[in-house]
Amino acid sequence: MATEADPGGSRTSVWLVARPAAHARRRSEQPSGLDRERITAATVRLLDAEGLHRFSMRRLASQLGVTAMSLYWYVDTKHDLLELALDSALGQQRLPSGPPPQEGWPGRLRSLACGYRRLLAEHPWVAPLSVAYPNIGPHARAFDAALQRLLDATGLADPGRTGAHLAVSQFLHGCGATARRAPETDFGLALDVLIAGIEAKARARAGDRGAGPRPR
């Protein structure tokens, strides 16, 4: 049975479904003063204030001063709206722009990870929704691209870079369960160990390149 953070396995992500254009619907029935952006922003505020377990379309409609049915002009299901809210929250994090200098990726990776942890602490509902949904919205993809740019600067070859990406992603998603409980120092220590491991792997590869081909 689907729950607030478990939409079940049969739905398609809101990011993969093309909605009919607004002019294709009867404008006389379209509620005034609403759009997807306003509804999504109100959803984020309601989730922050009351949590995922209390969220409902009726409660959201009450906050907006409209009927629950009017929301379905802009989203097909509650889960579509939760997906939109998830990506909207992810968009609040400031991302590094452009490729970092070779010596600067560890510090920028640390800033990225700490910013993500703060976001999870400020929006506790983001972590369970990140697990429940594909998380392929534009802000999620921008975050992943920023992480990839940082890892590209490590000098790791493709297999090592892929492994580092997986390790960092799993570390960050695992922060969701402990973002409010784990001390900042513990998080920082764990992050230092992760970065040190990537640095060691990068140094080993650089050493292999410098040694040249081995004699047969």
Side-chain angles (χ1 to χ4, degrees):
M1 182 179 68
T3 65
E4 292 91 340
D6 177 16
S10 60
R11 69 178 293 274
T12 302
S13 170
V14 69
W15 302 110
L16 301 178
V17 176
R19 287 181 56 78
H23 61 75
R25 301 186 174 196
R26 288 176 292 175
R27 291 184 180 275
S28 62
E29 295 182 4
Q30 187 172 359
S32 61
L34 285 182
D35 54 39
R36 262 197 177 188
E37 291 72 20
R38 183 185 172 199
I39 295 170
T40 300
T43 300
V44 171
R45 292 194 298 270
L46 186 59
L47 288 166
D48 286 344
E50 301 189 0
L52 181 60
H53 68 289
R54 296 194 64 193
F55 179 82
S56 71
M57 298 298 269
R58 288 182 180 278
R59 296 178 76 84
L60 176 62
S62 177
Q63 291 284 323
L64 289 167
V66 299
T67 65
M69 288 305 298
S70 66
L71 301 176
Y72 292 102
W73 278 89
Y74 304 95
V75 291
D76 292 330
T77 70
K78 179 182 75 171
H79 293 294
D80 289 353
L81 187 51
L82 290 175
E83 268 199 277
L84 293 170
L86 169 62
D87 198 67
S88 177
L90 293 175
Q92 295 177 15
Q93 181 171 358
R94 184 175 181 180
L95 300 177
S97 58
Q102 183 71 21
E103 69 278 7
W105 71 263
R108 299 184 81 174
L109 178 55
R110 186 174 286 104
S111 296
L112 184 72
C114 290
Y116 187 76
R117 182 178 187 268
R118 286 193 297 272
L119 186 144
L120 293 180
E122 293 168 359
H123 308 287
W125 50 273
V126 165
L129 292 187
S130 295
V131 174
Y133 297 126
N135 210 6
I136 54 174
H139 291 119
R141 287 185 280 112
F143 181 91
D144 193 67
L147 174 58
Q148 190 60 58
R149 286 194 299 270
L150 290 173
L151 295 176
D152 287 345
T154 63
L156 288 170
D158 286 342
R161 196 162 58 243
T162 300
H165 189 282
L166 179 61
V168 174
S169 296
Q170 290 186 337
F171 173 78
L172 293 179
H173 289 309
C175 292
T178 60
R180 285 178 172 270
R181 299 194 304 270
E184 189 77 25
T185 52
D186 289 353
F187 172 82
L189 178 60
L191 181 58
D192 287 344
V193 170
L194 178 61
I195 291 175
I198 297 173
E199 288 179 312
K201 192 75 174 177
R203 284 195 299 269
R205 180 174 187 268
D208 289 343
R209 289 201 308 267
R214 296 177 181 177
R216 297 183 178 181

